[in-house]
Amino acid sequence: MVVGFLLLLLMPSSRSATSISVVDRNVVVGEMGDMLQLRKRRRRRRGHVSLLTCVVGFLFLCQVSRLAAAAVLHRHQRISGSAGDVLEDNPVGRLKVFVYELPSKYNKDWLEKDPRCLTHMFAAEEFVHDFLLTSPVRTHNPKEADWFYTPVYTTCDLMPNGLPLPFKSPRIMRSAISYISTHWPYWNRTEGADHFFVVPHDFGACFHYQEEKAIERGVLPLLKHATLVQTFGQNHHVCLKEGSIVVPPYAPPEKMQSRFIPPNTPRSIFVYFRGLFYDVGNDPEGGYYARGARAAVWENFKDNPLFDISTQHPSTYYEDMQRAIFCLCPLGWAPWSPRLVEGVIFGCIPVIIADDIVLPFADAIPWEKIGVFVAEKDVPNLDKILSSISPEQVLEKQRLLANPAMKQAMLFSQPALPGDAFHQILNGLARKLPHDPHIYLEPGQMVLNWTEGPVGDLKPW
Amino acid sequence: MKKVTGSSHRLARMRSKNRSGFNSEQASETSFRLMPVSHFRVFIQCMFCIGTLILGFRLTTESSFLKASFQNPEDPFTRISARTDSSASTGTESQFDLQLRREFANGSKGSRLAYNGTIVHSSGGVRVDVGRHAILIRPWPHPDPFEVLHAHHLIKRVQLEQRQLYGSKESKPIIAITTTFVRTFQAVHLTGLLHTLSVIPVPVTWIVMEAGGVTNETAHFLSLAHVHRLLHLGFDIPMPAGLNERSKLEAQMRVEGLRYVQKEKLEGVVVFADESNIHSLEFFTEAQKVDWVGAVSVGLLGFAGFEESPQSGIVHVHDGRVEARENHILFAARQAAAAPRFEPQVQGPSCDSNGNLIGWHIFDPLPLEGEVHKGMRAAQNRRLEWANFVLNARAVWKTEGNQPEWIRSWDEWANPEDGSTPDIKAIVRSDQWVKVLGNCGRKVLLWWLRAEARADSKHPNKWILDESLEIIVPAKSTPWPRRPVRRAAPPPPAPAGGTGTKHGAGSRVSSGKVRRPKRKQDQTNVS
C-alpha cells in the first residue's frame, strides 16, 4: 500500500518535471522528502487538496477490499506468475493474419458434402477459419501481414461412421500449397515459414491414424518450415514439429455448458472414466491399443469401488464428471483425447496417463499444477498414487480448475470470447514474432523439395 | 548354409581336379556326395516350411523374441510367457503361444519388455515404442483397505470444502420427529431413515415415538444411528389396525414429540421424518430456509401411484371445508389428451406464477378392488400429511412474544377442545404465511413409500431365524397347486412367533375358518 502511494505520487512527478503537485512538507511521507529536494526549485503548488483526497480514498479502498477478500473463501485461484498473465493476453494489435482465398473445393465443398465436420472433435479447423474471417487481427493487405493462414480442411473426408479418412489429405494439402504458391508470392518468399496450418488429425501432419505408418510418413515435407496448429503432441516424436502449437480437440461448448449441475452437489466419485479398455475391433488381444495402459487400468481396478470405470456411456456423462474428483485421461490410439477438455470444464482433476505427452497451450498453462501425471508403468499403483495426494494439493488443483480463464482457454466458443482457445492460438502465434530475418529467402532460392514424399502423395488433386 | 556352400566349393574344386580319367567313378562319387548335401538342404527347407505353416509368416519375430527371452533369464520379477500375435493369424496354439503377464512386486520396478521388433528410429531420436506392449498387472489387483481409507478422507475433505464454498450459510440443527411401531417392514423403513439422518451435516436431534411402548427391536435399530441426540419415547397405546385410527394415533404421538421440543426449548428446524419416507439430502438443506412454517411436496410411491394420472386437480381448502373443484373438467381433458406416461402422484403446495401459495395438491386414493365405498369421501381424507410441513422449533414454544401473531398458540391447535385430532396445518391462521420450499413445490424432495406387510404378518425377531426350527409349516397360499397330504395324525398347531414365513401369509392352521382380512391400505400391492 505504501508502494502504491509512492507510485501514485511519483507518476505525475515523472511526467511533468516542472509542475509537481505536491505539497506541504508536513503532509508528505518522510521517504518522499529526498526525492522532492531535487526538484525543489521547479516545484509549484497545485491544488493539493484534491490529490490528497484521492490518495486517502485509494488507501481506504485498498484496506476495505483486502478485508473483504480475506473474509471470502477463495473459490478459484488465479494461475500465479507469468503463466496466468499469458492466458489473459490480448492478441489484438500484436499480430496481423492474412487469410488466403482458396477455391471452395478446399473448404466449403467439404462442409456441404458432410456437415458432421462441424461437430466432431476435429472441427477446430473449420472454426478457426470462421473465427479468422471476422477477427480484428485479420488484414486484407498481405504486405503488412505477419502470418498467413490457408483454409484447407484436410480432416473433413469422413467415412460413413464419422471417422475421417486421411488418405487424400496429403494430396489435398499439396494441392492447396501449390495453389497459394502460384497465385501469391508469399509462399515462395519464405517457403512457408510465416504460414500456419491447422491440422487437427490424430497424428497431425503425418496424416495417418496408425502410429507406425504415421511415423514412417513423417510430417509432410512441404510443411517443413510452416507452423502447425495441431492436437497431437508427444515429445521426441516425428509428428510433433518443433514450434508447433498444440491445441485442445474441439468439444461443443453449448452442449457442455448447458449441463452444469449446482456446485454444491457433493463430489462423491473418487475416480471416473468411461471409454474403451480393449479395442476389440482393431486389437483383440490387447497390448497395442493405448500401449496396454487402458487394459492395465481395467485389469487392476475393475473391482475397486473407488474407481467408477466402465465402457458403458451413460446419458449423465457430463453430470457424473461433475460429481467426481479425478477423471482419468489415458491415451488411446493417439495420446490426446477430449476428456481433458471435459475434465477442465467440469472441474474434475485430469489424471493424465500418456508418456511424453505435450498438452495444449503448454507454454501458457502449467499443467503439472493442475493435473496429475502418472507414468504408464505406474498404472498398477494408481490407487496408491491418487489416494496419497494430500488434501491441500487436491483443493488447490480444484481451485485452479475453477478459474474461469482456465475453462475459457479450452473452449472454441461461438461466438469467440476473450481468452478462449482461438485467442490462445493467436497468442501463441504472436509469441513467435518477430520472424527471424533468415526465413526470407533470396528470390529464386528453393529449399523445399517438391518431389519428396511417397509417390502416392504426388498425384494432383 | 555355410556348410552347404563350403561343401559345394570343395565339390567344385574336386570336380576341376578330377576332370580327366575317372569321370564315371567320380561322377558317381560326386553324385553320391551331392546326395547328403541336397538332403540336408531339403530337410532345412521342409522344416522352415512347416514352421511358417504353423506360425504364420512372422518367423523372424519369433526368432528375435527367442533371442530376447533368453537374454535375461534371472529377472526375479518376470515370469515370461510370451503371447505372440501369430496366434491370431493361424488360430492354432503354437509352441510359443503363452500368456504374457509381467507381474511384479509393489515397487514400481517394471521396465517394459520391449520385445517388439518394430522400434522405429528417425532423425528426431524417437523414444516411441510402437508395437505390442505388456499389460502390467500387479500381483494382487484388489483394493487395499488403507488406500480406500485415505481416499475416503480425501473425499470427505473435498466435500467439506464444497459445503463451505457453495453450501448454504445457515446450519440450523434439525429436529426429526418419527413415529414407529414394531412390524414386519419396520426394519426396511427404519434402516433407511437412520442412515439418512446419520449423514446430514448439521446436528440432528431424533425423537422417536414408539406405539406400544419402548421395545428392544426398535432400540436395536436406533443404536446404529449417528445422531447428535437420540430420544426414544414410548407410547403405551398399541398401534391400531385401521388406517384412520392409525393416523389419529400418529398425530397424537407427534404432538407428544412437539411437546418435548417445547419443554426442552430445543432450537432448530422441526422435520416430520416419517419412517416410510425416503428423504433426499437436499430436503434438509431446503428445510433450513424456513422462517416459521414451510411446506414441501411429497411424492407418492407404491400403491396406485402410477396406474393412472392424478385426478386430484387443485383443491382449494379453506378452513377444512372443501370447495368445488375448479377446472376439473379442463384438467381431466388435458390429462386424457396427454400421452400416457408415468405420472407420480405428488402431494403438496402449489403456487401461481408469482410464487404465492394458492392451493394444495392432495392425494386422492384410488379405490381398491372390492373395497366398499360409502360413496362419500370424508373431508379428513383430504388432510395433508404431517411430512408436508416443516416448522421452526420456536413456533411450538409456549412463550408468547416471540411468535408472530398468525401462529396459533400451542393450546389452540395442539389440544383442540372438541377432541378431534390435531392437524398441523392448523398451526397457522391462514395459508398466506406458509413459506413454500423446494422451488415452489415443484421439486419433490421426499417420497412416501407406501409399502407395508399385512397387519398380522409374522416375522422373526431381528430378521434372524434360529437354527433349530421345531416345526415348519407350509405357507397357505402358494402359486403351485396343493397336493393333498395324507397324514397319520393331524398336524400340530403352529407355535406363536419364532418360526415364520416372512411374507405375511401366516399360518392359519389353528383357526378353522378362513378369516377374510379387511382390506387395508397397508396391504402389499407391490408385486
Side-chain angles (χ1 to χ4, degrees):
Chain A
M1 245 175 347
V2 178
V3 173
F5 174 69
L6 285 173
L7 284 174
L8 199 63
L9 287 175
L10 276 176
M11 261 174 16
S13 61
S14 59
R15 265 190 236 126
S16 57
T18 53
S19 61
I20 296 175
S21 48
V22 192
V23 250
D24 250 340
R25 232 176 279 176
N26 305 333
V27 183
V28 156
V29 183
E31 302 92 63
M32 287 294 297
D34 318 337
M35 300 252 202
L36 295 171
Q37 291 284 346
L38 296 168
R39 313 204 181 169
K40 217 172 175 174
R41 279 174 219 149
R42 284 176 281 170
R43 235 186 323 167
R44 230 188 337 171
R45 246 184 225 187
R46 276 282 170 105
H48 59 273
V49 178
S50 56
L51 175 70
L52 208 56
T53 48
C54 280
V55 164
V56 169
F58 174 73
L59 291 177
F60 179 66
L61 281 175
C62 270
Q63 283 282 20
V64 167
S65 63
R66 213 180 58 170
L67 285 174
V72 166
L73 281 171
H74 288 284
R75 286 194 179 190
H76 66 254
Q77 193 167 318
R78 204 174 151 275
I79 301 168
S80 59
S82 58
D85 299 331
V86 157
L87 264 188
E88 290 154 16
D89 273 347
N90 190 1
V92 176
R94 293 169 59 198
L95 80 164
K96 294 236 169 277
V97 176
F98 177 73
V99 181
Y100 284 123
E101 282 280 332
L102 288 185
S104 63
K105 74 168 182 173
Y106 292 104
N107 33 46
K108 292 205 187 38
D109 285 356
W110 286 113
L111 275 186
E112 273 157 33
K113 203 158 65 158
D114 198 340
R116 282 181 301 183
C117 284
L118 286 174
T119 48
H120 68 174
M121 56 182 171
F122 307 106
E125 53 186 8
E126 284 87 20
F127 287 109
V128 169
H129 181 201
D130 210 30
F131 164 73
L132 285 174
L133 286 177
T134 54
S135 158
V137 304
R138 181 190 186 187
T139 167
H140 292 277
N141 180 4
K143 293 203 191 1
E144 61 169 18
D146 300 308
W147 287 100
F148 294 85
Y149 171 63
T150 318
V152 51
Y153 300 164
T154 49
T155 353
C156 210
D157 183 15
L158 300 185
M159 290 199 291
N161 68 351
L163 294 174
L165 274 179
F167 301 124
K168 285 200 220 146
S169 310
R171 292 165 53 203
I172 301 174
M173 187 62 93
R174 279 184 69 97
S175 160
I177 293 177
S178 64
Y179 186 90
I180 60 174
S181 63
T182 47
H183 286 78
W184 286 276
Y186 306 103
W187 176 270
N188 294 328
R189 190 173 66 163
T190 56
E191 292 278 292
D194 53 358
H195 289 59
F196 71 95
F197 296 85
V198 181
V199 279
H201 194 53
D202 280 350
F203 288 98
C206 292
F207 293 127
H208 210 279
Y209 50 81
Q210 256 195 10
E211 195 168 359
E212 294 163 318
K213 302 252 173 59
I215 294 176
E216 244 178 72
R217 297 180 55 97
V219 172
L220 197 69
L222 286 180
L223 296 173
K224 201 155 59 170
H225 297 293
T227 297
L228 298 174
V229 177
Q230 59 188 48
T231 49
F232 172 75
Q234 186 168 331
N235 278 325
H236 310 288
H237 198 280
V238 186
C239 297
L240 179 67
K241 221 168 68 73
E242 200 193 312
S244 302
I245 298 178
V246 180
V247 296
Y250 176 73
E254 319 79 27
K255 200 162 89 155
M256 292 204 290
Q257 281 164 343
S258 63
R259 303 267 288 269
F260 279 125
I261 60 177
N264 61 348
T265 315
R267 285 188 189 263
S268 45
I269 303 176
F270 191 59
V271 175
Y272 188 76
F273 175 73
R274 288 290 185 273
L276 289 178
F277 299 102
Y278 292 94
D279 187 356
V280 278
N282 299 317
D283 176 34
E285 299 129 5
Y288 262 114
Y289 180 52
R291 297 201 273 266
R294 286 196 185 196
V297 168
W298 174 252
E299 298 296 339
N300 281 300
F301 302 114
K302 59 187 174 206
D303 60 352
N304 196 324
L306 295 171
F307 282 67
D308 187 354
I309 56 179
S310 151
T311 49
Q312 307 276 350
H313 206 280
S315 53
T316 53
Y317 178 60
Y318 290 147
E319 287 82 1
D320 288 342
M321 268 194 150
Q322 295 172 70
R323 291 195 309 120
I325 300 183
F326 291 106
C327 287
L328 293 185
C329 304
L331 71 162
W333 286 112
W336 56 271
S337 83
R339 282 182 187 87
L340 185 70
V341 178
E342 288 159 359
V344 169
I345 302 289
F346 295 125
C348 184
I349 301 175
V351 179
I352 296 152
I353 307 173
D355 286 346
D356 284 334
I357 189 174
V358 175
L359 290 174
F361 307 129
D363 46 352
I365 300 177
W367 286 105
E368 318 78 40
K369 283 202 217 148
I370 293 171
V372 179
F373 286 82
V374 177
E376 285 167 30
K377 61 178 171 53
D378 290 331
V379 163
N381 295 330
L382 192 60
D383 59 346
K384 200 189 296 193
I385 295 172
L386 291 181
S387 57
S388 60
I389 302 180
S390 70
E392 291 79 30
Q393 273 188 323
V394 169
L395 291 176
E396 188 183 327
K397 286 184 204 278
Q398 288 190 327
R399 276 195 288 268
L400 285 171
L401 279 172
N403 191 357
M406 179 72 205
K407 294 191 209 278
Q408 197 76 278
M410 287 282 116
L411 286 177
F412 291 95
S413 39
Q414 300 293 322
L417 297 168
D420 65 3
F422 298 116
H423 291 91
Q424 303 301 334
I425 297 175
L426 292 179
N427 281 336
L429 290 170
R431 282 194 286 272
K432 298 180 87 176
L433 291 175
H435 290 297
D436 192 357
H438 294 296
I439 63 168
Y440 296 102
L441 308 171
E442 304 299 319
Q445 184 185 6
M446 292 273 285
V447 179
L448 286 178
N449 183 0
W450 282 73
T451 52
E452 206 180 324
V455 178
D457 290 355
L458 302 176
K459 283 195 284 206
W461 183 74
Chain B
M1 297 304 160
K2 274 197 182 153
K3 222 169 40 171
V4 177
T5 50
S7 52
S8 64
H9 278 309
R10 255 185 284 128
L11 276 173
R13 269 186 271 125
M14 283 176 72
R15 254 185 268 152
S16 59
K17 270 191 211 163
N18 309 319
R19 206 45 82 90
S20 47
F22 312 97
N23 273 353
S24 57
E25 295 148 343
Q26 275 158 11
S28 62
E29 269 188 355
T30 51
S31 64
F32 175 74
R33 278 206 200 97
L34 272 171
M35 297 292 275
V37 168
S38 62
H39 268 316
F40 181 72
R41 217 171 162 173
V42 167
F43 172 72
I44 293 284
Q45 277 181 343
C46 280
M47 288 315 297
F48 269 93
C49 212
I50 293 168
T52 43
L53 271 178
I54 295 173
L55 301 167
F57 292 99
R58 310 212 61 204
L59 200 54
T60 48
T61 320
E62 268 67 313
S63 46
S64 67
F65 162 69
L66 266 183
K67 208 167 47 162
S69 74
F70 289 125
Q71 266 166 14
N72 42 0
E74 290 162 9
D75 198 335
F77 297 114
T78 64
R79 267 196 275 138
I80 292 184
S81 2
R83 183 211 302 255
T84 66
D85 40 9
S86 60
S87 56
S89 52
T90 59
T92 57
E93 293 277 309
S94 75
Q95 43 188 318
F96 301 121
D97 188 14
L98 310 157
Q99 279 294 317
L100 175 74
R101 297 250 185 118
R102 182 112 178 226
E103 299 169 357
F104 58 99
N106 283 341
S108 61
K109 249 182 164 184
S111 53
R112 212 179 292 148
L113 175 67
Y115 69 96
N116 41 27
T118 51
I119 298 179
V120 179
H121 293 283
S122 78
S123 56
V126 168
R127 274 191 344 218
V128 166
D129 294 334
V130 181
R132 190 174 295 283
H133 292 271
I135 301 172
L136 306 172
I137 303 176
R138 62 188 189 196
W140 196 70
H142 296 295
D144 179 34
F146 287 111
E147 258 104 61
V148 173
L149 196 65
H150 281 306
H152 276 291
H153 281 316
L154 208 65
I155 295 176
K156 211 161 115 172
R157 179 70 187 90
V158 166
Q159 288 184 358
L160 180 68
E161 184 77 14
Q162 268 186 290
R163 260 203 301 276
Q164 284 174 345
L165 284 178
Y166 303 110
S168 63
K169 298 292 171 276
E170 313 167 11
S171 59
K172 302 181 205 161
I174 300 259
I175 302 165
I177 296 185
T178 307
T179 58
T180 181
F181 64 105
V182 176
R183 66 193 187 284
T184 311
F185 275 18
Q186 184 198 29
V188 171
H189 298 306
L190 204 52
T191 314
L193 182 63
L194 74 92
H195 283 127
T196 306
L197 292 177
S198 304
V199 295
I200 301 175
V202 289
V204 171
T205 304
W206 194 14
I207 301 174
V208 179
M209 315 288 305
E210 188 168 358
V214 174
T215 61
N216 283 341
E217 291 204 7
T218 315
H220 163 72
F221 284 118
L222 298 183
S223 64
L224 299 173
H226 295 286
V227 285
H228 185 71
R229 199 160 148 193
L230 177 65
L231 201 68
H232 187 184
L233 302 174
F235 221 66
D236 285 328
I237 308 170
M239 191 63 101
L243 184 69
N244 283 342
E245 295 90 42
R246 270 197 192 173
S247 57
K248 283 190 190 136
L249 184 63
E250 281 175 1
Q252 283 176 359
M253 290 205 285
R254 289 183 187 120
V255 163
E256 278 304 312
L258 286 175
R259 191 166 289 140
Y260 181 83
V261 170
Q262 181 193 72
K263 196 171 62 169
E264 302 290 321
K265 287 202 171 21
L266 296 178
E267 290 260 9
V269 177
V270 175
V271 155
F272 296 102
D274 291 341
E275 58 177 349
S276 50
N277 285 359
I278 303 169
H279 307 88
S280 75
L281 284 180
E282 228 181 302
F283 166 63
F284 296 101
T285 46
E286 268 306 297
Q288 308 265 340
K289 295 185 189 162
V290 72
D291 296 322
W292 285 102
V293 181
V296 290
S297 297
V298 175
L300 289 144
L301 293 175
F303 171 56
F306 311 142
E307 281 134 29
E308 292 182 36
S309 50
Q311 299 189 6
S312 52
I314 297 180
V315 180
H316 293 265
V317 181
H318 286 296
D319 297 315
R321 285 183 295 117
V322 177
E323 294 195 347
R325 273 187 189 179
E326 298 181 6
N327 302 324
H328 173 59
I329 299 170
L330 287 175
F331 190 82
R334 236 183 307 144
Q335 290 294 320
R341 60 189 193 98
F342 164 67
E343 287 264 359
Q345 296 211 28
V346 170
Q347 187 178 0
S350 79
C351 300
D352 63 4
S353 48
N354 289 345
N356 304 324
L357 181 70
I358 51 167
W360 305 92
H361 280 288
I362 293 196
F363 167 59
D364 201 2
L366 296 177
L368 288 171
E369 289 175 22
E371 183 173 62
V372 179
H373 242 329
K374 299 294 183 228
M376 193 253 331
R377 301 217 182 138
Q380 59 249 35
N381 278 356
R382 307 224 169 212
R383 236 175 244 193
L384 291 161
E385 290 292 316
W386 285 63
N388 281 102
F389 290 94
V390 174
L391 299 179
N392 186 347
R394 282 178 182 258
V396 294
W397 286 12
K398 269 219 164 135
T399 58
E400 320 299 344
N402 282 1
Q403 300 159 352
E405 51 91 26
W406 40 265
I407 289 191
R408 294 209 173 100
S409 66
W410 176 260
D411 298 314
E412 266 188 74
W413 72 272
N415 299 326
E417 295 84 25
D418 53 358
S420 62
T421 54
D423 181 20
I424 184 64
K425 204 160 145 310
I427 198 173
V428 284
R429 289 189 204 276
S430 83
D431 277 352
Q432 56 167 335
W433 301 108
V434 175
K435 181 170 179 174
V436 186
L437 301 174
N439 192 12
C440 210
R442 280 187 278 272
K443 193 163 178 125
V444 180
L445 299 165
L446 62 157
W447 296 86
W448 181 12
L449 179 62
R450 302 163 54 86
E452 285 291 346
R454 284 171 49 115
D456 59 348
S457 72
K458 306 271 181 284
H459 67 281
N461 197 4
K462 292 189 193 169
W463 287 88
I464 297 174
L465 281 177
D466 284 333
E467 284 309 315
S468 57
L469 293 176
E470 295 159 17
I471 294 168
I472 300 172
V473 177
K476 183 83 177 189
S477 59
T478 48
W480 43 87
R482 253 172 282 162
R483 259 183 323 146
V485 173
R486 290 188 186 275
R487 281 188 214 269
T499 68
T501 54
K502 288 186 187 163
H503 290 293
S507 53
R508 271 176 275 163
V509 182
S510 47
S511 61
K513 56 180 166 58
V514 175
R515 275 182 291 136
R516 179 147 195 275
K518 269 197 288 181
R519 291 280 198 141
K520 300 169 200 60
Q521 281 185 338
D522 52 1
Q523 202 174 26
T524 42
N525 251 357
V526 183
S527 57

